[in-house]
Amino acid sequence: MTPAKIDALKTELTKEIDKNQKFSQEMVDMIFSFGELGFQEVETSKYLTDILKKNGFTIEYGISGVPTAWTAKWGSGKPVIAVGSDIDCIPKASQKPGVAYHDPIVAGAPGHGEGHNSGQPLNVTAVLALKKVMEREKIPGTIMLWPGVAEEQLATKAYYVRDGYFKDVDACIFTHVGNNLGTSYGDGGMVGMISVRYDFEGQASHAGGAPWRGKSALDAVELMNIGWNYHREHMEPTQRSHYVITDGGDQPNVVPSKASVWYYFRERSYPKIMQMFEDGKRIAEAAAKMTKTTMKYEVLGSAWPGHMNQPIAEAMYENIKMVGLPKWSEEDQKLAKALQKEMQSPTEPGKGFDGLSTSLSQLRKPATTPSAGGGGSDDIADISWNIPTIVLNYPSNIPGLPGHHWANAIAMATPIAHKGVTAGAKAEALTLLDMFVKPEILKNAWTYFNDVQTKDTKYTPLISKTDKPAIHLNKKIMEEFRPEMKKYYYDPSKYATYLEQLGIKYPTVREDKAGTTTGGGN
């Protein structure tokens, strides 16, 4: 295919995606309204697979034993390119979109406080536009869409790899919400992680009348936590570890016979993560011995440190430069600046709140200090160590927010999210076209994968052959909140946008004492 022909097809794809902005907006708003936690993304998965099935994709449901996981395939032959994004949300992050202060839709309910409602709409928009071109031009190849289920628990992608769903895939593009349009390659400093719950069991007794007859499982949990916190002093600064007590007993007058604590152990390499895992197990066993209780543990999730593919990232960035950032309206910037002010987002000295990004980010190269600690984890890394993979970040959220927070949900069913998804869909569709019609991209991608990325580091799963996805997680929370949340599901047959359905004036910001609205300013 000639360069001129490819350029013409890219122009066509861009126009097609612009034409489908309403379709993209409806998908973004619909999934936002579902607000489903990990492993409980029932409505979200049904909604997406119904759209894909209607458009000619073959669906395999329940992959890796996860009810809300699936693959959707279209096309035939090689290359096979996977396109994925996460679909779960955050606890207690319910929030009215377009309102620049805390105002939940359902108090205490989950919500899209990371923006995972937008990635799959981006992917669906991109691949349906590309599918039309591939059918007409008879371009060979297979597209496979798939969801990151329970990403906040890092709980499924390692199982997809283990169970062979990426065995015959040639490359993967993953999308994740951000506040600029960009991508990266190499080791960006991402930390890996293993997620473990420790369950202690002792013996109940009357806490006032016969405490000596009890063996407190809660004592074991607290002693484990004390032991781990003392252990931190002697750990490398690259580690991060944190826990929550998921079961601390039932009531004070009963010595707790059962108690549980859930840990995330994060580090920069497989050996260091596994050392933390062994240390945690050793300290838990010691706590059980001290309290004459028993202990068992369950691995709930895992993620390798990330490494992204250079040739695909460079091809993607050329298309990102062609697409550019969206044109933000005065209302978009007003919401962004007001929210940054509300959240006291960090600013440079003497500078006000800048609002949305107006300068395109650069192609992010490997971190200059890859040993630096801290940061988040993402189980897309497990896929990146098995096939050439990149992550496309797209500008559907507001800079300077805390993350995993109701504030991060505010933009996610507004024109900011919709415009960011459209821009991201263009960048993805153009890059997918390049990957299907320019064989040298995938050839170079595998050369990098084999000769650079995996030359000295080989993938060893953090999960065992017998571990199973923790599909029970979040079930009780969703059972509690879903009946009330259902009342607020988006109905696109009646309302143009979710903002309209909720009766929200865009943007809604705080008023100062004089009665004028404040948008953050400079």
Side-chain angles (χ1 to χ4, degrees):
M1 191 174 285
T2 66
K5 176 68 171 177
I6 294 171
D7 287 345
L9 292 179
K10 287 185 175 182
T11 299
E12 180 183 342
L13 283 170
T14 299
K15 290 180 179 177
E16 179 71 13
I17 289 167
D18 275 333
K19 193 169 72 176
N20 287 323
Q21 288 182 66
K22 174 61 179 168
F23 172 58
S24 303
Q25 170 256 310
E26 286 188 2
M27 287 190 289
V28 168
D29 288 4
M30 183 67 80
I31 298 173
F32 182 93
S33 75
F34 293 148
E36 296 174 301
L37 293 169
F39 288 118
Q40 310 305 320
E41 310 98 334
V42 178
E43 302 280 11
T44 301
S45 283
K46 183 181 185 306
Y47 175 71
L48 288 167
T49 53
D50 283 353
I51 291 172
L52 291 165
K53 187 175 181 180
K54 183 180 176 182
N55 282 277
F57 282 73
T58 300
I59 314 297
E60 181 178 352
Y61 299 94
I63 66 171
S64 288
V66 178
T68 55
W70 43 269
T71 60
K73 293 181 180 179
W74 174 86
S76 62
K78 289 282 194 174
V80 179
I81 300 176
V83 180
S85 198
D86 301 321
I87 58 174
D88 57 329
C89 75
I90 300 290
K92 296 182 174 64
S94 177
Q95 171 64 33
K96 292 177 183 173
V99 178
Y101 47 84
H102 193 210
D103 191 5
I105 298 171
V106 176
H112 275 288
E114 180 150 338
H116 286 175
N117 61 301
S118 56
Q120 288 293 359
L122 185 161
N123 293 342
V124 173
T125 301
V127 300
L128 291 186
L130 181 66
K131 177 176 175 282
K132 289 179 68 173
V133 169
M134 290 179 70
E135 285 175 321
R136 189 189 68 226
E137 302 294 330
K138 296 181 171 55
I139 297 171
T142 303
I143 302 171
M144 181 180 90
L145 273 78
W146 58 276
V149 168
E151 187 276 337
E152 300 303 341
Q153 288 77 46
L154 301 168
T156 54
K157 298 186 185 81
Y159 292 99
Y160 300 165
V161 171
R162 186 191 70 180
D163 297 341
Y165 290 98
F166 289 85
K167 181 177 60 176
D168 299 318
V169 175
D170 295 289
C172 177
I173 294 178
F174 191 75
T175 59
H176 197 283
V177 64
N179 52 59
N180 208 308
L181 189 60
T183 191
S184 63
Y185 67 85
D187 180 354
M190 183 186 294
V191 295
M193 189 214 74
I194 190 163
S195 163
V196 190
R197 191 189 68 236
Y198 300 90
D199 300 316
F200 296 88
E201 185 166 357
Q203 181 174 305
S205 70
H206 194 300
W212 53 88
R213 298 183 65 177
K215 296 180 179 66
S216 174
L218 179 58
D219 286 353
V221 164
E222 292 186 301
L223 285 167
M224 180 187 177
N225 294 343
I226 291 168
W228 186 263
N229 288 330
Y230 275 107
H231 178 57
R232 288 180 202 267
E233 180 185 355
H234 309 287
M235 300 175 71
E236 295 185 43
T238 47
Q239 73 84 25
R240 292 290 187 274
S241 52
H242 16 270
Y243 59 83
V244 293
I245 297 173
T246 55
D247 180 2
D250 298 308
Q251 56 192 51
N253 66 326
V254 179
V255 172
S257 61
K258 293 185 179 181
S260 301
V261 60
W262 184 6
Y263 271 79
Y264 278 15
F265 300 121
R266 303 186 199 252
E267 251 291 3
R268 291 282 295 120
S269 69
Y270 171 83
K272 290 182 177 181
I273 296 166
M274 291 307 291
Q275 184 60 57
M276 291 179 75
F277 175 48
E278 292 300 324
D279 288 345
K281 189 162 51 170
R282 175 174 49 84
I283 291 171
E285 288 169 347
K289 286 181 180 179
M290 284 189 284
T291 54
K292 296 182 180 180
T293 59
T294 59
M295 184 277 295
K296 61 182 180 179
Y297 65 87
E298 181 181 357
V299 174
L300 300 180
S302 68
W304 257 61
H307 192 117
M308 302 304 156
N309 190 269
Q310 182 174 355
I312 301 177
E314 290 174 341
M316 172 68 81
Y317 192 68
E318 290 305 308
N319 290 311
I320 284 171
K321 289 191 290 185
M322 290 173 57
V323 172
L325 287 171
K327 293 181 180 178
W328 307 119
S329 69
E330 183 179 336
E331 290 77 15
D332 298 335
Q333 290 288 14
K334 184 176 181 180
L335 178 71
K337 292 178 180 180
L339 182 56
Q340 288 169 339
K341 183 175 182 180
E342 179 78 13
M343 299 307 300
Q344 288 300 295
S345 300
T347 60
E348 294 180 30
K351 255 182 121 176
F353 303 107
D354 289 339
L356 299 166
S357 301
T358 55
S359 297
L360 195 65
S361 66
Q362 296 299 308
L363 175 63
R364 297 188 300 279
K365 300 179 180 181
T368 54
T369 55
S371 62
S377 310
D378 195 317
D379 49 355
I380 186 59
D382 288 76
I383 292 168
S384 80
W385 283 101
N386 284 272
I387 57 172
T389 301
I390 65 165
V391 176
L392 168 65
N393 294 112
Y394 53 94
S396 286
N397 217 315
I398 295 168
L401 303 182
H404 290 184
H405 193 272
W406 54 260
N408 292 75
I410 287 171
M412 292 314 305
T414 73
I416 295 172
H418 307 147
K419 293 172 187 177
V421 162
T422 295
K426 291 176 184 177
E428 180 171 77
L430 303 189
T431 306
L432 286 169
L433 177 66
D434 282 337
M435 294 167 75
F436 279 116
V437 302
K438 297 178 181 178
E440 66 272 16
I441 293 177
L442 289 179
K443 180 182 177 182
N444 294 339
W446 277 100
T447 298
Y448 177 89
F449 181 84
N450 291 319
D451 297 349
V452 179
Q453 180 180 346
T454 63
K455 181 182 179 182
D456 300 315
T457 303
K458 306 301 179 185
Y459 177 78
T460 304
L462 287 158
I463 58 170
S464 73
K465 292 180 180 179
T466 57
D467 286 330
K468 296 180 180 180
I471 61 174
H472 60 279
L473 290 176
N474 299 313
K475 185 177 180 181
K476 289 183 179 179
I477 299 174
M478 289 308 302
E479 285 176 348
E480 177 185 355
F481 286 104
R482 195 188 295 275
E484 187 65 20
M485 293 169 68
K486 274 186 175 182
K487 300 174 184 178
Y488 299 95
Y489 284 178
Y490 176 44
D491 185 353
S493 68
K494 293 183 180 179
Y495 303 97
T497 67
Y498 196 43
L499 289 172
E500 180 185 327
Q501 179 170 325
L502 295 176
I504 294 169
K505 179 184 176 184
Y506 180 74
T508 297
V509 301
R510 289 194 186 277
E511 294 186 350
D512 62 20
K513 291 180 180 178
T516 58
T517 58
T518 56
N522 286 314

